[in-house]
Amino acid sequence: EAYVFLTDEFDHVAEDSFQSNFDVANATPEVVASSISINGGSDIVLENALATTSGFTLDVTVTSDNSCVAVNSSGVSLGAGSEFADIVTALYPESVGTSTCDGSAVAFDANNCYTSGAASQWDFSCTKDVSSCTDAGLNTTDESVTYNCTFSVWSNASPTDGSNDTEVQLFNQSWFASVSVIDNAGATSTFTEGDTGVDVLSFLAFDLGTGAIPYGTLEPEEDTGNLIATTTILATGNTGINQDLSGSSMCPDFNPATVDDANLWGCSNDPSNTIQSSFQQFGFTNTTAYGSGTALVPGSTVEAVLNVPKPTTIATATDDDIYWGIAVPEDITLAGNYTGQNSFEVILSDANNW
């Protein structure tokens, strides 16, 4: 039972009394913005190319003036935390915001919008920490409960760790989370953004679509004509990429153990049976003539400005090709199968070209 006493503006009580029934309205729950914590405040570090990286966390505290415990029509407690039925969540870079990333399934985008409506796409799941709510049934005064959530992030999630537009597209930004809570009566809080965000770090990753550069059969003083051999470079992280290229010498008795020896580069350096790396040239079309390509430099790297775009589709690489040609110097007198080793090192491309 509950009783209401009426007074006027001078705190005078009413002369008459009467009895009437009244309903206590359900209080709308709230989300504590300062409690929203993405990954404990640590940046999101991606590790798996063309896949998700798991183990990230989202924690949030929600409150209700109804208390954190719901009761049935008989006044029996439905359990600690039972006042709260579910939460709606979105994780996004700040330039995207909740007008686009609203928590719904259709808003999900592995690049920049992770929503609870598409939970299976990023392994999002939450549990209520019932120990954060003291259950005293109808006498419960505790108003809050904490949700602990875990999630994964796809390898193409847009990075925000750069400070200018050549490093990343979303420079000087962070990823934020917004949360709304739904109580057991269906009342929904406002969609509340957390006070602090974290960065998704740049994940520089690539793969080679080919493991060999086949030059075919040539005689001394011959070259391949055009750049005929192909290597495919695949971007598999969350950035656009270029390549730093280098190569060893080539010879019939190539020794990988001496590739880094400046006096050998994998071969004996006998001019009769060694083709220096500078006789290899690369370019970006198969119509480029040998002599018009870019030569490798012994003991150094040469940048190949491919501008392979940032991947934007789940589990799908972007790619581009490098074309190769070679000349056999006139000093070669030993016939045979000449082999060597070229190295490909991924480097960040200008984000304006992603």
Side-chain angles (χ1 to χ4, degrees):
E1 294 182 341
Y3 298 90
V4 175
F5 295 91
L6 301 179
T7 64
D8 64 15
E9 61 181 310
F10 303 108
D11 208 26
H12 296 154
V13 299
E15 292 182 355
D16 297 321
S17 64
F18 63 92
Q19 183 175 341
S20 178
N21 296 326
F22 64 91
D23 293 325
V24 177
N26 181 51
T28 302
E30 297 180 354
V31 174
V32 181
S34 61
S35 75
I36 299 175
S37 173
I38 304 171
N39 204 37
S42 297
D43 291 333
I44 292 176
V45 180
L46 303 176
E47 297 177 344
N48 302 318
L50 302 183
T52 58
T53 301
S54 62
F56 304 113
T57 61
L58 174 68
D59 303 301
V60 58
T61 297
V62 297
T63 67
S64 174
D65 288 342
N66 299 328
S67 88
C68 60
V69 174
V71 296
N72 63 18
S73 58
S74 300
V76 177
S77 168
L78 299 179
S82 56
E83 175 65 19
F84 309 102
D86 201 2
I87 61 172
V88 176
T89 305
L91 187 68
Y92 49 84
E94 58 193 279
S95 60
V96 173
T98 56
S99 60
T100 298
C101 192
D102 59 7
S104 65
V106 295
F108 176 83
D109 186 326
N111 296 282
N112 56 26
C113 179
Y114 287 70
T115 62
S116 56
S120 62
Q121 295 273 21
W122 55 306
D123 306 318
F124 181 76
S125 64
C126 296
T127 58
K128 281 184 284 191
D129 179 7
V130 294
S131 67
S132 63
C133 168
T134 302
D135 183 1
L138 282 170
N139 297 316
T140 299
T141 58
D142 196 348
E143 297 182 344
S144 64
V145 74
T146 297
Y147 278 85
N148 303 124
C149 309
T150 59
F151 61 91
S152 302
V153 177
W154 281 96
S155 56
N156 58 305
S158 295
T160 54
D161 54 342
S163 59
N164 59 66
D165 64 356
T166 65
E167 295 178 342
V168 295
Q169 293 172 320
L170 305 180
F171 63 97
N172 290 335
Q173 294 191 37
S174 296
W175 281 65
F176 283 82
S178 283
V179 179
S180 64
V181 59
I182 305 167
D183 72 11
N184 72 319
T188 303
S189 74
T190 57
F191 207 30
T192 303
E193 184 174 86
D195 291 342
T196 58
V198 299
D199 280 326
V200 171
L201 301 189
S202 296
F203 179 35
L204 204 57
F206 84 107
D207 198 4
L208 282 176
T210 46
I213 304 175
Y215 286 126
T217 301
L218 295 170
E219 298 285 339
E221 298 187 78
E222 285 186 344
D223 61 55
T224 53
N226 287 341
L227 307 183
I228 58 168
T230 306
T231 54
T232 300
I233 311 300
L234 300 98
T236 59
N238 67 355
T239 72
I241 62 171
N242 289 328
Q243 293 277 303
D244 271 346
L245 306 176
S246 61
S248 72
S249 297
M250 300 174 65
C251 54
D253 56 350
F254 172 70
N255 181 5
T258 64
V259 165
D260 294 327
D261 187 329
N263 295 315
L264 297 174
W265 308 124
C267 296
S268 66
N269 272 341
D270 181 341
S272 68
N273 62 13
T274 300
I275 303 174
Q276 299 285 345
S277 63
S278 56
F279 285 88
Q280 294 186 79
Q281 295 184 2
F282 68 88
F284 305 115
T285 70
N286 59 5
T287 58
T288 301
Y290 183 85
S292 297
T294 301
L296 296 184
V297 177
S300 185
T301 60
V302 181
E303 183 176 358
V305 184
L306 282 166
N307 289 321
V308 182
K310 171 191 177 295
T312 57
T313 303
I314 286 176
T316 304
T318 52
D319 63 76
D320 205 346
D321 293 328
I322 297 176
Y323 297 90
W324 297 86
I326 196 171
V328 178
E330 61 181 352
D331 293 334
I332 295 295
T333 59
L334 181 63
N337 185 26
Y338 283 65
T339 59
Q341 177 179 294
N342 284 2
S343 296
F344 299 76
E345 180 182 351
V346 64
I347 57 174
L348 191 69
S349 65
D350 186 326
N352 292 293
N353 298 317
W354 291 5

